[in-house]
Every structure is written in C-alpha cells, then in structure tokens.
Amino acid sequence: PTAVIVAGAAVASRLGADEHSGQLGLVLSTPMRRIRVLGLAAAAQATLITIVAVLTGLGVWGGALLGGMNLTAEHIAGATVHLLVLGLCMGAVSMLGVAAFGTASAGTWAAAGVGVVGYALNITLPMSSDYATWGRISPFYWYGAVQPLENGVDWGHVAILIAGTLVLLAVSFFLFARRDLRS
C-alpha cells in the first residue's frame, strides 16, 4: 500500500509545488483552465497508481510461482484491484490537500495523515468489540478486511473506495476552481 500511496501523493505534491512556485501562473488564470490542469494531474496520478499496482500484482504472482505458494491468479488479481482502488482513494486525498491549500506539503501531509491515522484506526479499533465497527471509517478497512489475496476481489468494498475517490475528486475540483491562487 505504501508504494501506491506515495505514487499518488507525488503527483499531487508536484502540482502543489508548481503552483506555489508560480510556474503555473497564466495556466491557472481561469476556473476552466484550473479544472483542466487538475483533470490532467488526476489522470497522470491514476495512470501512475495503476502502473504501480499492476507491477506489484505481477511481483506477487511471480513470487508465488517461484515460491511454490498456493495462490491463484484470480486472488492475486483481486488483491491487485483492492490495492489499485486504495491507491486511487489516497491519491484523491492528496489531491484534495493540494486543491484546498496549493502547496506540495498539503498534498503530502494529507496522504500521510490519512494513511497513518487510517491504518492505526483499522488496526486498533477492531481490538475492542465496542468500537470494532468504527474501523470502517478507514480506507484500509475497505482495502483489506475481506482478505482479497485469500478470498479474491470484493466488489462491494471496491465500489465503496471508488465512491470515496469520486467524492474526494469532486470536492477537489470544486475547491481548486474557486480558490484564490497566488499571483
């Protein structure tokens, strides 16, 4: 998960750094241009996250073959899909940070904060029967609770992460188009 989160945060942070340094001045001069720039950044981010997730899945598959492990290609593909949508969701968190504040650090800290806190909540909340259901607020719950490497893809969990990603991106586009940008 760290690899896809870092890949998504890197793209968003680069957009924030370019904006903060003033390199995108005229490009971001109108809301329509801002939407286009953010859309291109989101597409680049999704492409990079997909590449990292697929390469990770291929690495797991190759390792399973070399190690003689009893992992089916279907289950490895399911785990790869879960990894992909987790990466997209966390990338959207990073993009939201950049859209809201316009700095590279906002994108990095948003992804790191949600990643660390989300992972901690996913691990600690299920330890208490009183708080176990609260673990669902973490994207890591939807990523791994069904153990996709053992059971295959769970389309319900994938749909929830995709819905979260789309909501985060919609808010990002809204904020980025309306935020006052540095001159």
Side-chain angles (χ1 to χ4, degrees):
T2 303
V4 293
I5 294 169
V6 168
V11 174
S13 295
R14 184 70 250 164
L15 175 62
D18 288 347
E19 178 191 339
H20 189 71
S21 70
Q23 290 178 304
L24 298 176
L26 285 177
V27 174
L28 300 178
S29 62
T30 68
M32 288 309 295
R33 286 183 180 172
R34 293 180 201 177
I35 289 171
R36 181 181 169 135
V37 167
L38 191 62
L40 290 171
Q45 183 185 60
T47 301
L48 183 59
I49 290 168
T50 301
I51 290 168
V52 171
V54 168
L55 289 175
T56 302
L58 289 172
V60 170
W61 179 66
L65 287 177
L66 288 173
M69 299 173 72
N70 190 20
L71 293 175
T72 66
E74 178 185 351
H75 290 173
I76 294 170
T80 302
V81 169
H82 279 254
L83 181 63
L84 171 63
V85 294
L86 174 68
L88 293 173
C89 185
M90 296 301 292
V93 166
S94 184
M95 200 65 79
L96 179 62
V98 169
F101 299 104
T103 64
S105 60
T108 302
W109 283 108
V114 171
V116 169
V117 171
Y119 186 76
L121 291 175
N122 185 54
I123 295 300
T124 58
L125 290 177
M127 291 179 185
S128 167
S129 60
D130 294 337
Y131 300 107
T133 58
W134 281 95
R136 293 178 181 195
I137 64 172
S138 169
F140 289 93
Y141 171 84
W142 302 104
Y143 159 69
V146 295
Q147 300 177 345
L149 194 55
E150 183 179 325
N151 301 310
V153 69
D154 182 304
W155 292 109
H157 284 223
V158 168
I160 287 170
L161 283 171
I162 289 172
T165 300
L166 294 175
V167 168
L168 289 166
L169 287 175
V171 173
S172 297
F173 278 96
F174 177 80
L175 291 177
F176 195 63
R178 285 160 181 77
R179 182 171 49 83
D180 285 339
L181 302 176
R182 297 174 193 262
S183 28

